[in-house]
Short mmCIF file of all heavy atoms in Angstrom, two decimals:
data_model
loop_
_atom_site.label_atom_id
_atom_site.label_comp_id
_atom_site.label_asym_id
_atom_site.label_seq_id
_atom_site.Cartn_x
_atom_site.Cartn_y
_atom_site.Cartn_z
N MET A 1 20.05 75.15 5.08
CA MET A 1 21.33 75.87 4.84
C MET A 1 21.19 76.58 3.50
O MET A 1 20.86 75.88 2.50
CB MET A 1 22.45 74.80 4.95
CG MET A 1 23.83 75.43 4.70
SD MET A 1 25.18 74.27 4.69
CE MET A 1 25.28 73.89 6.37
N PRO A 2 21.56 77.86 3.47
CA PRO A 2 21.64 78.53 2.18
C PRO A 2 22.63 77.89 1.19
O PRO A 2 23.61 77.33 1.69
CB PRO A 2 22.04 79.93 2.60
CG PRO A 2 21.78 80.03 4.07
CD PRO A 2 21.92 78.64 4.59
N THR A 3 22.28 78.01 -0.04
CA THR A 3 23.08 77.33 -1.08
C THR A 3 24.55 77.82 -1.06
O THR A 3 25.50 77.01 -1.12
CB THR A 3 22.45 77.57 -2.53
OG1 THR A 3 21.20 77.01 -2.44
CG2 THR A 3 23.29 76.83 -3.55
N PRO A 4 24.85 79.13 -0.92
CA PRO A 4 26.23 79.60 -0.92
C PRO A 4 26.94 78.96 0.36
O PRO A 4 28.18 78.64 0.19
CB PRO A 4 26.10 81.13 -0.77
CG PRO A 4 24.85 81.46 -1.43
CD PRO A 4 23.91 80.28 -1.03
N ALA A 5 26.30 78.85 1.41
CA ALA A 5 26.93 78.27 2.59
C ALA A 5 27.26 76.83 2.42
O ALA A 5 28.33 76.31 2.78
CB ALA A 5 26.10 78.50 3.88
N ALA A 6 26.32 76.08 1.87
CA ALA A 6 26.56 74.67 1.51
C ALA A 6 27.62 74.47 0.48
O ALA A 6 28.54 73.61 0.70
CB ALA A 6 25.35 74.09 0.97
N ALA A 7 27.70 75.33 -0.51
CA ALA A 7 28.79 75.28 -1.49
C ALA A 7 30.20 75.60 -0.84
O ALA A 7 31.16 74.86 -1.15
CB ALA A 7 28.53 76.21 -2.61
N ALA A 8 30.25 76.53 0.04
CA ALA A 8 31.40 76.86 0.73
C ALA A 8 31.86 75.73 1.61
O ALA A 8 33.10 75.46 1.71
CB ALA A 8 31.24 78.17 1.54
N LEU A 9 30.99 75.17 2.26
CA LEU A 9 31.29 73.94 3.16
C LEU A 9 31.85 72.88 2.40
O LEU A 9 32.89 72.30 2.69
CB LEU A 9 30.07 73.54 3.92
CG LEU A 9 30.24 72.31 4.80
CD1 LEU A 9 31.24 72.56 5.95
CD2 LEU A 9 28.87 71.86 5.35
N LEU A 10 31.16 72.53 1.27
CA LEU A 10 31.64 71.37 0.43
C LEU A 10 33.01 71.71 -0.17
O LEU A 10 33.89 70.90 -0.31
CB LEU A 10 30.67 71.15 -0.65
CG LEU A 10 29.41 70.46 -0.13
CD1 LEU A 10 28.40 70.32 -1.35
CD2 LEU A 10 29.63 69.13 0.51
N TRP A 11 33.28 72.96 -0.61
CA TRP A 11 34.59 73.33 -1.18
C TRP A 11 35.62 73.22 -0.17
O TRP A 11 36.67 72.64 -0.43
CB TRP A 11 34.52 74.78 -1.75
CG TRP A 11 35.80 75.20 -2.29
CD1 TRP A 11 36.12 74.93 -3.57
CD2 TRP A 11 36.89 75.85 -1.64
NE1 TRP A 11 37.48 75.39 -3.76
CE2 TRP A 11 37.94 75.98 -2.60
CE3 TRP A 11 37.03 76.30 -0.42
CZ2 TRP A 11 39.08 76.61 -2.31
CZ3 TRP A 11 38.26 76.93 -0.07
CH2 TRP A 11 39.25 77.10 -1.01
N THR A 12 35.40 73.69 1.04
CA THR A 12 36.29 73.58 2.12
C THR A 12 36.68 72.16 2.49
O THR A 12 37.81 71.84 2.65
CB THR A 12 35.77 74.27 3.41
OG1 THR A 12 35.55 75.67 3.09
CG2 THR A 12 36.77 74.20 4.55
N LEU A 13 35.66 71.28 2.51
CA LEU A 13 35.90 69.96 2.83
C LEU A 13 36.71 69.22 1.80
O LEU A 13 37.52 68.37 1.99
CB LEU A 13 34.52 69.15 3.05
CG LEU A 13 33.80 69.47 4.30
CD1 LEU A 13 32.40 68.74 4.30
CD2 LEU A 13 34.54 69.07 5.56
N SER A 14 36.45 69.58 0.49
CA SER A 14 37.24 69.06 -0.55
C SER A 14 38.71 69.41 -0.61
O SER A 14 39.49 68.80 -1.30
CB SER A 14 36.62 69.49 -1.87
OG SER A 14 36.89 70.85 -2.29
N ARG A 15 39.05 70.38 0.16
CA ARG A 15 40.48 70.76 0.30
C ARG A 15 41.21 69.86 1.35
O ARG A 15 42.44 69.94 1.42
CB ARG A 15 40.67 72.22 0.70
CG ARG A 15 39.92 73.24 -0.15
CD ARG A 15 40.59 73.35 -1.55
NE ARG A 15 39.69 72.71 -2.43
CZ ARG A 15 39.98 72.26 -3.68
NH1 ARG A 15 41.13 72.36 -4.09
NH2 ARG A 15 39.08 71.74 -4.44
N LEU A 16 40.52 69.20 2.23
CA LEU A 16 41.12 68.38 3.26
C LEU A 16 41.63 67.08 2.62
O LEU A 16 40.94 66.35 1.94
CB LEU A 16 40.14 68.03 4.34
CG LEU A 16 39.54 69.27 5.05
CD1 LEU A 16 38.51 68.82 6.00
CD2 LEU A 16 40.61 70.05 5.82
N GLU A 17 42.89 66.72 3.04
CA GLU A 17 43.50 65.47 2.56
C GLU A 17 42.79 64.27 2.89
O GLU A 17 42.59 63.38 1.97
CB GLU A 17 44.95 65.40 3.11
CG GLU A 17 45.75 64.19 2.57
CD GLU A 17 46.19 64.42 1.17
OE1 GLU A 17 46.24 65.49 0.68
OE2 GLU A 17 46.39 63.33 0.55
N ALA A 18 42.25 64.18 4.04
CA ALA A 18 41.46 62.95 4.49
C ALA A 18 40.20 62.75 3.62
O ALA A 18 39.87 61.67 3.26
CB ALA A 18 41.05 63.09 5.94
N ILE A 19 39.55 63.84 3.27
CA ILE A 19 38.34 63.67 2.46
C ILE A 19 38.71 63.29 0.99
O ILE A 19 38.05 62.44 0.37
CB ILE A 19 37.57 65.01 2.40
CG1 ILE A 19 37.08 65.41 3.83
CG2 ILE A 19 36.38 65.01 1.44
CD1 ILE A 19 36.17 64.49 4.39
N ARG A 20 39.80 63.89 0.47
CA ARG A 20 40.21 63.52 -0.89
C ARG A 20 40.58 62.10 -1.03
O ARG A 20 40.44 61.46 -2.04
CB ARG A 20 41.41 64.48 -1.37
CG ARG A 20 40.86 65.83 -1.66
CD ARG A 20 41.93 66.61 -2.43
NE ARG A 20 42.62 67.32 -1.37
CZ ARG A 20 43.86 67.67 -1.47
NH1 ARG A 20 44.60 67.37 -2.57
NH2 ARG A 20 44.52 68.32 -0.54
N LYS A 21 41.11 61.57 0.07
CA LYS A 21 41.52 60.18 0.10
C LYS A 21 40.36 59.15 0.13
O LYS A 21 40.53 57.89 -0.17
CB LYS A 21 42.51 59.76 1.23
CG LYS A 21 43.88 60.33 1.07
CD LYS A 21 44.73 59.90 2.31
CE LYS A 21 46.18 60.41 2.13
NZ LYS A 21 46.96 60.04 3.32
N THR A 22 39.28 59.60 0.61
CA THR A 22 38.06 58.75 0.73
C THR A 22 37.71 58.02 -0.49
O THR A 22 37.40 56.77 -0.42
CB THR A 22 36.95 59.63 1.26
OG1 THR A 22 37.26 60.25 2.49
CG2 THR A 22 35.67 58.76 1.55
N GLY A 23 37.63 58.60 -1.61
CA GLY A 23 37.16 57.96 -2.85
C GLY A 23 38.33 57.53 -3.68
O GLY A 23 38.14 57.13 -4.83
N ALA A 24 39.51 57.54 -3.18
CA ALA A 24 40.72 57.25 -3.99
C ALA A 24 40.79 55.82 -4.44
O ALA A 24 41.55 55.52 -5.37
CB ALA A 24 41.97 57.65 -3.21
N ALA A 25 40.15 54.91 -3.74
CA ALA A 25 40.17 53.49 -4.06
C ALA A 25 39.44 53.19 -5.35
O ALA A 25 39.62 52.13 -5.96
CB ALA A 25 39.73 52.65 -2.93
N GLY A 26 38.65 54.11 -5.77
CA GLY A 26 37.87 53.95 -6.95
C GLY A 26 36.66 53.06 -6.82
O GLY A 26 36.22 52.72 -5.75
N PRO A 27 36.05 52.63 -7.90
CA PRO A 27 34.79 51.88 -7.83
C PRO A 27 34.87 50.47 -7.26
O PRO A 27 33.93 49.85 -6.89
CB PRO A 27 34.29 51.78 -9.25
CG PRO A 27 35.50 51.92 -10.13
CD PRO A 27 36.44 52.75 -9.30
N GLY A 28 36.11 49.94 -7.10
CA GLY A 28 36.22 48.51 -6.63
C GLY A 28 35.92 48.52 -5.10
O GLY A 28 35.45 47.43 -4.60
N GLU A 29 36.19 49.65 -4.39
CA GLU A 29 35.92 49.60 -2.89
C GLU A 29 34.50 49.33 -2.60
O GLU A 29 34.12 48.54 -1.76
CB GLU A 29 36.48 50.79 -2.28
CG GLU A 29 36.25 50.75 -0.77
CD GLU A 29 36.94 52.05 -0.08
OE1 GLU A 29 37.19 52.97 -0.77
OE2 GLU A 29 36.99 52.08 1.15
N PRO A 30 33.54 50.15 -3.19
CA PRO A 30 32.17 49.88 -2.91
C PRO A 30 31.63 48.53 -3.23
O PRO A 30 30.82 47.94 -2.56
CB PRO A 30 31.35 50.96 -3.57
CG PRO A 30 32.36 51.77 -4.33
CD PRO A 30 33.74 51.35 -4.03
N ARG A 31 32.19 47.98 -4.36
CA ARG A 31 31.77 46.61 -4.79
C ARG A 31 32.23 45.60 -3.76
O ARG A 31 31.45 44.66 -3.35
CB ARG A 31 32.53 46.30 -6.17
CG ARG A 31 31.84 46.92 -7.29
CD ARG A 31 32.42 46.29 -8.54
NE ARG A 31 32.21 47.33 -9.62
CZ ARG A 31 33.13 47.95 -10.35
NH1 ARG A 31 34.40 47.66 -10.05
NH2 ARG A 31 32.85 48.76 -11.25
N VAL A 32 33.48 45.69 -3.22
CA VAL A 32 33.94 44.77 -2.24
C VAL A 32 33.16 44.92 -0.95
O VAL A 32 32.75 43.83 -0.32
CB VAL A 32 35.41 44.95 -1.98
CG1 VAL A 32 35.91 44.19 -0.80
CG2 VAL A 32 36.17 44.64 -3.22
N LEU A 33 32.84 46.12 -0.49
CA LEU A 33 32.02 46.30 0.72
C LEU A 33 30.65 45.80 0.50
O LEU A 33 30.08 45.08 1.42
CB LEU A 33 32.00 47.81 1.04
CG LEU A 33 33.28 48.37 1.56
CD1 LEU A 33 33.18 49.89 1.71
CD2 LEU A 33 33.75 47.77 2.90
N ASN A 34 30.06 46.00 -0.61
CA ASN A 34 28.74 45.50 -0.94
C ASN A 34 28.68 44.03 -0.87
O ASN A 34 27.82 43.35 -0.31
CB ASN A 34 28.27 46.05 -2.27
CG ASN A 34 26.80 45.93 -2.51
OD1 ASN A 34 26.12 45.17 -1.91
ND2 ASN A 34 26.21 46.85 -3.37
N ASP A 35 29.71 43.33 -1.53
CA ASP A 35 29.79 41.87 -1.55
C ASP A 35 29.98 41.30 -0.15
O ASP A 35 29.32 40.28 0.19
CB ASP A 35 30.84 41.38 -2.44
CG ASP A 35 30.59 41.72 -3.95
OD1 ASP A 35 29.34 42.02 -4.27
OD2 ASP A 35 31.48 41.73 -4.70
N ALA A 36 30.76 41.96 0.66
CA ALA A 36 31.02 41.56 2.08
C ALA A 36 29.79 41.65 2.89
O ALA A 36 29.44 40.70 3.70
CB ALA A 36 32.18 42.31 2.67
N MET A 37 28.95 42.67 2.74
CA MET A 37 27.82 42.81 3.52
C MET A 37 26.72 41.71 3.05
O MET A 37 26.07 41.15 3.83
CB MET A 37 27.15 44.25 3.35
CG MET A 37 27.95 45.24 4.07
SD MET A 37 27.18 46.90 4.10
CE MET A 37 27.70 47.52 2.51
N ALA A 38 26.70 41.57 1.70
CA ALA A 38 25.73 40.52 1.21
C ALA A 38 26.09 39.10 1.64
O ALA A 38 25.20 38.35 2.03
CB ALA A 38 25.69 40.63 -0.32
N ALA A 39 27.39 38.84 1.76
CA ALA A 39 27.84 37.53 2.25
C ALA A 39 27.57 37.37 3.76
O ALA A 39 27.22 36.23 4.23
CB ALA A 39 29.37 37.40 1.98
N ALA A 40 27.63 38.48 4.50
CA ALA A 40 27.43 38.36 6.03
C ALA A 40 25.93 38.21 6.30
O ALA A 40 25.64 37.63 7.27
CB ALA A 40 27.95 39.67 6.65
N ALA A 41 25.17 38.79 5.41
CA ALA A 41 23.70 38.71 5.72
C ALA A 41 22.98 38.11 4.48
O ALA A 41 22.21 38.73 3.78
CB ALA A 41 23.12 40.13 6.01
N THR A 42 23.28 36.84 4.23
CA THR A 42 22.76 36.14 2.97
C THR A 42 21.28 36.24 2.92
O THR A 42 20.50 35.97 3.88
CB THR A 42 23.14 34.66 3.11
OG1 THR A 42 24.53 34.55 3.30
CG2 THR A 42 22.72 33.89 1.82
N GLY A 43 20.80 36.79 1.77
CA GLY A 43 19.39 36.86 1.53
C GLY A 43 18.72 38.08 2.08
O GLY A 43 17.47 38.26 1.92
N GLN A 44 19.35 38.86 2.89
CA GLN A 44 18.80 40.02 3.56
C GLN A 44 19.15 41.35 2.91
O GLN A 44 18.88 42.39 3.46
CB GLN A 44 19.17 40.00 5.02
CG GLN A 44 18.68 38.80 5.72
CD GLN A 44 19.18 38.83 7.18
OE1 GLN A 44 19.61 39.90 7.77
NE2 GLN A 44 19.08 37.67 7.88
N THR A 45 19.90 41.29 1.76
CA THR A 45 20.36 42.59 1.27
C THR A 45 19.92 42.72 -0.25
O THR A 45 20.83 43.18 -1.06
CB THR A 45 21.86 42.61 1.31
OG1 THR A 45 22.48 41.46 0.61
CG2 THR A 45 22.34 42.55 2.78
N PRO A 46 18.68 42.54 -0.63
CA PRO A 46 18.37 42.71 -2.00
C PRO A 46 18.55 44.09 -2.49
O PRO A 46 18.91 44.39 -3.67
CB PRO A 46 16.92 42.27 -2.05
CG PRO A 46 16.44 42.32 -0.73
CD PRO A 46 17.56 42.11 0.08
N ALA A 47 18.33 45.11 -1.65
CA ALA A 47 18.43 46.49 -2.02
C ALA A 47 19.84 46.83 -2.33
O ALA A 47 20.23 47.50 -3.23
CB ALA A 47 17.87 47.44 -0.96
N LEU A 48 20.87 46.29 -1.49
CA LEU A 48 22.24 46.59 -1.74
C LEU A 48 22.71 45.90 -3.05
O LEU A 48 23.45 46.53 -3.85
CB LEU A 48 23.06 45.98 -0.63
CG LEU A 48 23.16 46.77 0.70
CD1 LEU A 48 23.94 46.05 1.78
CD2 LEU A 48 23.73 48.14 0.46
N LEU A 49 22.23 44.76 -3.25
CA LEU A 49 22.63 44.01 -4.52
C LEU A 49 22.04 44.75 -5.78
O LEU A 49 22.69 44.69 -6.75
CB LEU A 49 22.21 42.60 -4.45
CG LEU A 49 22.93 41.78 -3.43
CD1 LEU A 49 22.34 40.35 -3.33
CD2 LEU A 49 24.43 41.71 -3.68
N ALA A 50 20.86 45.42 -5.58
CA ALA A 50 20.26 46.07 -6.70
C ALA A 50 21.08 47.29 -7.13
O ALA A 50 21.01 47.63 -8.25
CB ALA A 50 18.82 46.40 -6.36
N ILE A 51 21.77 47.97 -6.23
CA ILE A 51 22.44 49.14 -6.52
C ILE A 51 23.99 48.87 -6.60
O ILE A 51 24.72 49.88 -6.74
CB ILE A 51 22.19 50.36 -5.46
CG1 ILE A 51 22.65 49.84 -4.06
CG2 ILE A 51 20.73 50.65 -5.48
CD1 ILE A 51 22.71 51.00 -3.12
N ARG A 52 24.40 47.63 -6.59
CA ARG A 52 25.86 47.34 -6.71
C ARG A 52 26.44 47.95 -7.96
O ARG A 52 25.91 47.82 -9.08
CB ARG A 52 26.03 45.84 -6.71
CG ARG A 52 27.53 45.42 -6.69
CD ARG A 52 27.54 43.91 -6.79
NE ARG A 52 28.96 43.49 -6.62
CZ ARG A 52 29.78 43.36 -7.66
NH1 ARG A 52 29.32 43.67 -8.84
NH2 ARG A 52 31.01 42.99 -7.48
N PRO A 53 27.51 48.73 -7.84
CA PRO A 53 28.03 49.45 -8.95
C PRO A 53 28.81 48.45 -9.91
O PRO A 53 29.17 47.42 -9.54
CB PRO A 53 29.15 50.34 -8.36
CG PRO A 53 29.26 49.93 -6.97
CD PRO A 53 28.22 49.08 -6.54
#
């Protein structure tokens, strides 16, 4: 995809309310999700734990 087209697509998506709400929970949401996945699959998620924010 040409760079101008990709930029236009990302800009358009950033105007959508649903997309703007996606990251509104802040850094706590990925931490909680990461911890829940690690708890569900004990010992099988070292890569997830390594990148935990």
Side-chain angles (χ1 to χ4, degrees):
M1 177 181 288
T3 302
L9 176 64
L10 292 174
W11 181 85
T12 302
L13 289 175
S14 73
R15 305 293 109 201
L16 298 174
E17 184 71 23
I19 299 295
R20 284 191 271 152
K21 286 183 179 179
T22 301
E29 183 179 12
R31 283 188 201 116
V32 171
L33 291 173
N34 198 334
D35 292 343
M37 287 186 281
T42 307
Q44 298 178 15
T45 58
L48 283 176
L49 295 175
I51 62 167
R52 185 179 183 276

